[in-house]
Amino acid sequence: MNRFRLSAGAIDGLAEKARLDDAGAGACVVFEGWVRNHNEGRAVHRLDYQAFAALALSEGECILDEAIGRFELRAATAVHRTGSLAIGDMAVWVGVSAGHRGAAFDACRWIIDEIKRRVPIWKNEHYADGESGWLHPDNSPLDCVR
Amino acid sequence: MNYRLLYFASLADRAGCAAESVESQATDPATLYAEIAPRHGFTFAPTRLRVAVGGRIVDWTHTLNDGDEIVFLPPVSGG
């Protein structure tokens, strides 16, 4: 089964966590990214995620493979939402198991940072004032449409 | 040559479509982007984009083949 997946429906964190089971694991660290109601001082109403699925899946798989080697993990999985999300919805779930807590904490942080940096997924924020805009970080202006 | 272009996020909004077929003499992504960017009003400099051909990241001098699927990737914002 693939370690990195995209999901058009709600993420079930408990079901994901069961995939990390390993008798040799002494630590499990999970990160959940949630949709918050504000960004850069603007009230956010909801958001959409769009993915270039073929490349997102292969890039996500690469990140998890690399993490397992780099941090000596027992297991690592991640799921990212696509489609329309409401405030409070889980946008991304990352979980790792490892022999010890240090590696588990470090790996989980590294994986979410790499996902945000590399995986071709884009966020379109819909603001309370009716505007919306795709976020393209590294200080580019929002390409806003009303 | 004929290429299949996919667009995502703000590039799809600007292009007004998620995909199109393009007839072009360009043989590398850099030349192709220079051709289509003004037509669609793309304002990203190539230095701010990545390019994928056939679902794999390639560099801007990659040699294109007839029928290739090409994606210019704006900076990502997942997570």
Side-chain angles (χ1 to χ4, degrees):
Chain A
M1 195 170 180
N2 291 333
R3 295 188 177 105
F4 183 91
R5 288 176 297 126
L6 297 170
S7 174
I11 297 170
D12 179 351
L14 283 178
E16 295 304 324
K17 193 163 163 246
R19 302 174 68 204
L20 301 174
D21 282 352
D22 186 300
C28 170
V29 171
V30 166
F31 171 79
E32 296 183 356
W34 297 355
V35 178
R36 66 170 174 265
N37 67 358
H38 66 280
N39 193 31
E40 310 259 324
R42 298 184 76 172
V44 174
H45 194 58
R46 66 178 183 88
L47 56 80
D48 297 315
Y49 281 108
Q50 188 179 72
F52 175 22
L55 184 61
L57 292 171
S58 61
E59 197 77 357
E61 207 66 26
C62 274
I63 290 169
L64 294 173
D65 282 349
E66 194 179 333
I68 285 169
R70 182 188 279 241
F71 297 96
E72 296 185 15
L73 302 178
R74 308 300 296 210
T77 66
V79 189
H80 202 297
R81 278 294 311 274
T82 57
S84 187
L85 279 74
I87 304 305
D89 282 355
M90 202 192 302
V92 59
W93 187 98
V94 177
V96 303
S97 59
H100 300 278
R101 69 185 182 283
F105 275 115
D106 292 348
C108 194
R109 175 64 190 260
W110 183 85
I111 290 167
I112 185 60
D113 287 351
E114 289 297 297
I115 288 172
K116 290 177 77 82
R117 192 173 73 82
R118 286 162 56 180
V119 177
I121 297 173
W122 297 272
K123 181 189 298 181
N124 192 4
E125 289 186 335
H126 295 261
Y127 303 107
D129 60 12
E131 280 197 343
S132 68
W134 291 101
L135 270 61
H136 294 305
D138 61 357
N139 304 320
S140 58
L142 291 179
D143 208 4
C144 273
V145 290
R146 193 179 276 277
Chain B
M1 291 200 274
N2 192 267
Y3 301 121
R4 183 74 177 160
L5 271 67
L6 307 185
Y7 299 119
F8 292 93
S10 64
L11 294 188
D13 286 356
R14 285 286 173 101
C17 61
E20 67 175 346
S21 292
V22 169
E23 196 66 39
S24 171
Q25 298 307 309
T27 55
D28 62 73
T31 310
L32 183 63
Y33 184 73
E35 266 183 33
I36 62 151
R39 180 160 63 83
H40 286 313
F42 295 165
T43 53
F44 284 113
T47 50
R48 300 209 42 236
L49 303 173
R50 291 183 294 168
V51 57
V53 174
R56 299 182 51 155
I57 300 285
V58 299
D59 66 40
W60 288 88
T61 58
H62 176 88
T63 301
L64 297 175
N65 295 305
D66 190 45
D68 274 348
E69 178 198 86
I70 300 156
V71 186
F72 298 108
L73 302 161
V76 300
S77 51

